[in-house]
Amino acid sequence: MSLTFENGTEMPALGFGTWRAPNEEVEKALNEALEAGYRHIDTAPVYLNEKTIGNVLKEWLDAGRLTREELFIVTKLPPHGTRAATVEKFLRRSLDDLQLEYVDLYHVHVPFTVPEVDGPFLMDDNGDIVLETTTDHVALWKVGNNLITL
């Protein structure tokens, strides 16, 4: 069963989520999910496992067990990338990690922006995640819309 978008693109209704699964676990689980017939794979940079997911997908594609067209891959713009100026950088990073030329759906992961830092989110003295004061959702949409043919 699939869902059809306005542009005719079909998305399998049932997706395989990879939320924060450790690399060894996601490698085994993704192989089993693909073997069982899952074709909609949901991932994100903040799950910290896109490189492993990319390795598994590459193995399946290189072995001819799947074609890219059979897959529906979803990833997300991370919270520290929700600025118009960094959308392309983070999309390209996900594409590199996933070892793909395109993703089928690219979400904005959260409706807010956090400072871009190496490592975990920046926290204040109370242990709360530091948020930036504004997130320009219209600018994000415009940049993302222009990257459709990236």
Side-chain angles (χ1 to χ4, degrees):
M1 173 179 229
S2 64
L3 307 170
T4 304
F5 294 121
E6 285 291 322
N7 67 0
T9 299
E10 290 189 16
M11 177 181 76
L14 186 60
F16 180 75
T18 60
W19 186 83
R20 300 301 290 251
N23 287 323
E24 307 79 39
E25 185 179 313
V26 80
E27 180 178 1
K28 183 177 190 288
L30 182 54
N31 273 300
E32 289 181 17
L34 292 169
E35 193 71 47
Y38 279 87
R39 298 298 180 258
H40 173 174
I41 311 302
D42 179 78
T43 186
V46 298
Y47 301 168
L48 305 175
N49 55 21
E50 283 194 329
K51 286 184 180 184
T52 300
I53 292 164
N55 290 339
V56 171
L57 294 175
K58 184 172 179 12
E59 287 174 15
W60 277 71
L61 293 168
D62 287 353
R65 296 179 74 185
L66 282 174
T67 65
R68 176 60 185 92
E69 295 73 26
E70 292 176 282
L71 294 168
F72 193 92
I73 307 297
V74 179
T75 192
K76 301 161 193 79
L77 182 65
H80 53 278
T82 52
R83 294 169 201 78
T86 59
V87 173
E88 184 173 347
K89 174 177 94 171
F90 285 101
L91 174 57
R92 287 188 185 278
R93 186 175 295 166
S94 283
L95 291 172
D96 287 345
D97 288 347
L98 293 167
Q99 301 178 58
L100 298 172
E101 293 183 21
Y102 65 94
V103 293
D104 299 281
L105 187 60
Y106 193 54
H107 289 294
V108 175
H109 204 143
V110 294
F112 55 82
T113 305
V114 300
E116 186 177 346
V117 295
D118 288 328
F121 294 125
L122 186 62
M123 307 291 242
D124 66 18
D125 293 337
N126 295 323
D128 295 322
I129 295 174
V130 174
L131 302 177
E132 292 192 357
T133 55
T134 61
T135 302
D136 188 342
H137 298 98
V138 172
L140 288 175
W141 176 82
K142 286 180 181 177
V143 170
N145 200 42
N146 288 331
L147 292 176
I148 289 173
T149 57
L150 179 71

